[in-house]
Amino acid sequence: MPAVSPESQASEALPSRRRRTPRGGRHRGDESFLLPPGSPALVLAVPGSAHQAGAEVARELAGLIEIEHTRQPAHVGYLEGDEANLRSVLAGLRRDKDDEPDAVVVPLSTGPDPAVDAAVRAAVADSPARALAAEPLGPHPLIAEALHDRLADAGLARADRIRLMTMVTAASGVIVATPGDATAVRQAEVTGVLLASRLAAPVFTASLNDEASVKAATEQLRAAGATNIALAPHLIGPEPEAALVASAAASVGAGHSAPLGAHPALARLSALRYAEALSMALSE
């Protein structure tokens, strides 16, 4: 039997790409992924339980991933609770293929999160199915794009830098407020730089868990000349910190946008992280 190189093996198992008909707007030229029949399952690992506020966002994203990218069902596994728990979801995906994984688990988080990452690794290690853990969705330029869109949806930013309509509510400075500690804030700074480039306005990062951090970012923006400040939550929706967004914005007199939710950019990133993890596994 002829030898098969890792490269050719990966090309057979990885999602093929197709370019959709060009369309107008910022998303022109987006690429989607098509999975060959029998490919490993894509599983979104969601913080919290199936009954928490914002849990439906994961299900909506799974639908977007299937429709726009993979054309195969995407699964949702929660890290807490008994219903649709990640461990039980993975157990149900066991196949009779010994030459490739059964599933690739994509953490539904905007950046590295020690608690989420540890829970995903533990579920993957304990699963009877052969599963891989992918990287979290961010940091990535698509996260900045999604934050920009949510700010525009809230009337706090122009939709783009070409349509220069006057918007009296547009923010002259933005706080990217992320769940987690100082380490999470530093990681979110990458997204903040990308967002600042899109908005042509100063952007500082802060921790949603720390009111002093949000106030410090506000002071930095004021010092930079910002008079109208907006808070952009650097989270997807199921995270418990989503409940802190409105009060954090009110504490510094800022407007705020909604969490990212089931944004098409997150569906695209989920498919991308899946492909990256599978490619790396097959090339080892």
Side-chain angles (χ1 to χ4, degrees), residues 8-110:
S8 61
Q9 186 182 27
S11 67
E12 292 177 2
L14 279 176
S16 59
R17 289 185 176 184
R18 61 179 169 86
R19 187 170 290 280
R20 292 180 288 185
T21 303
R23 58 184 176 178
R26 292 185 302 281
H27 304 287
R28 183 177 179 180
D30 283 358
E31 288 184 334
S32 296
F33 296 94
L34 288 177
L35 298 182
S39 295
L42 187 157
V43 183
L44 295 176
V46 186
S49 73
H51 298 289
Q52 68 192 358
E56 72 282 355
V57 168
R59 296 188 287 271
E60 292 172 9
L61 270 174
L64 275 179
I65 293 167
E66 177 181 349
I67 294 169
E68 294 291 330
H69 298 282
T70 65
R71 296 297 174 91
Q72 293 190 37
H75 304 266
V76 176
Y78 297 91
L79 297 177
E80 298 176 12
D82 296 327
E83 183 177 338
N85 181 271
L86 178 58
R87 283 181 166 83
S88 62
V89 170
L90 289 176
L93 296 173
R94 186 76 172 89
R95 304 180 300 165
D96 294 326
K97 290 190 174 184
D98 296 327
D99 57 344
E100 64 181 44
D102 298 311
V104 177
V105 181
V106 180
L108 196 60
S109 56
T110 54

Side-chain angles (χ1 to χ4, degrees), residues 213-233:
S213 176
V214 175
K215 290 183 176 179
T218 302
E219 292 170 1
Q220 290 176 299
L221 286 169
R222 300 281 189 209
T227 56
N228 190 15
I229 294 173
L231 185 145

